[in-house]
Amino acid sequence: MLLELDFEKKLEDFHLQVNYSGENPRIGILGASGCGKSMTLRSIAGIDKPDRGLIRLGDRTLFDSGKKVNLRPRERHVGYLFQNYALFPTMTVEQNIMAGVTGTKEERRRRAREMILAFEIEGLEKRRPGELSGGQQQRVALARMMAGRPGAVLLDEPFSAMDYFLKERLRLEMAQMLRDYQGLSILVTHDRDEAYQLCDHLLLMSDGHIIASGDTRKVFEKPETVEAARLTGCKNISRIRPLGSHRVCALDWGNLELTTEGEVTPEITHVGIRAHDFSPAAPGKLRGSGGEEETGNVSEISSGPGTESPGGRNIIPVRNPRLTELPFEWYVVLEQNIWWKVPKDMNNHNFSTAMPDALTVDPSSISLLKEK
């Protein structure tokens, strides 16, 4: 289904400008709090009215300021899942679901029964929202939304108020629901894992603008700009000074010199390396996490800012590393303020991978980034 967005809305200290057109069934809008992603969703739903522009869904115009078109929310045939689910507190589960359906009372009750079975909430029909868990409330809200057979579903941070365990389980259920759904879905989130798992196409939003758009995996693999790299979770970003068409000096990492696979064109201002893309340089002298030397094959590590190994991979000296332990990984912060993420066994509280004298990163893992 074609989605066309070309609208703007000005507030006292914020200016939202959205421009997008595409036929992607599962769209994610990823951005930090306050960037305008929820306002974009509410504008599509008809809850907020843009100052000017156009919103089209398929062959239907939902909003067109030039032609004075502004369909009411109920006329837009879109389902909206709010962050707090917005269930009617005095209604039962069955009544809440029936509220999302038109028709005779018997038709509405029959459709509610279908949704109760589909979302596996049998036995809760006569309970009120206050008697339900967070996961049960979300299922009821989804059942109410889907009961009206919407042409599109809009999901506004649906997991933001949940604990980690419940969030993981319900994300799997949501992924299956969206795969089975034949219409358009748009998910707004600040969580990159949710966006990656639930969306085929991704819009990155910052300060009221869409700064990147494309296949979700490709956006993560090649973010192109500094802000896009940050939004997709890149922890290591440095300004650069070009040294050649495939060579840079990383100014924020102690003037580290690196070879890149991509060409360093004039608009490139930064490089980015994801924390999990480093690996120990080998062979080499190893130090334990306490700093003691351990036996091993020794290869001379350059005392300069950085070198290339014989295999064409970059060598980064490890000096004065700082360790932080998490349940399933170590974070190692180098003196150059580079973050390295190392997987670990939850039962092993020692740094099982002995600290190497140097790390290496493949040139293909270095993202070349523009300022904007």
Side-chain angles (χ1 to χ4, degrees), residues 136-152:
Q136 290 170 335
Q137 287 183 29
Q138 188 192 70
R139 288 183 182 178
V140 173
L142 285 168
R144 183 180 65 184
M145 179 178 70
M146 301 304 291
R149 296 182 175 89

Side-chain angles (χ1 to χ4, degrees), residues 120 155 166 256 289 366:
E120 299 180 356
L155 311 169
L166 183 59
L256 181 70
S289 57
I366 300 176

Side-chain angles (χ1 to χ4, degrees), residues 143-169:
R144 183 180 65 184
M145 179 178 70
M146 301 304 291
R149 296 182 175 89
V153 295
L154 312 179
L155 311 169
D156 191 358
E157 300 273 9
F159 308 103
S160 59
M162 296 184 179
D163 61 63
Y164 183 79
F165 175 77
L166 183 59
K167 182 186 296 188
E168 287 292 294
R169 182 165 59 83

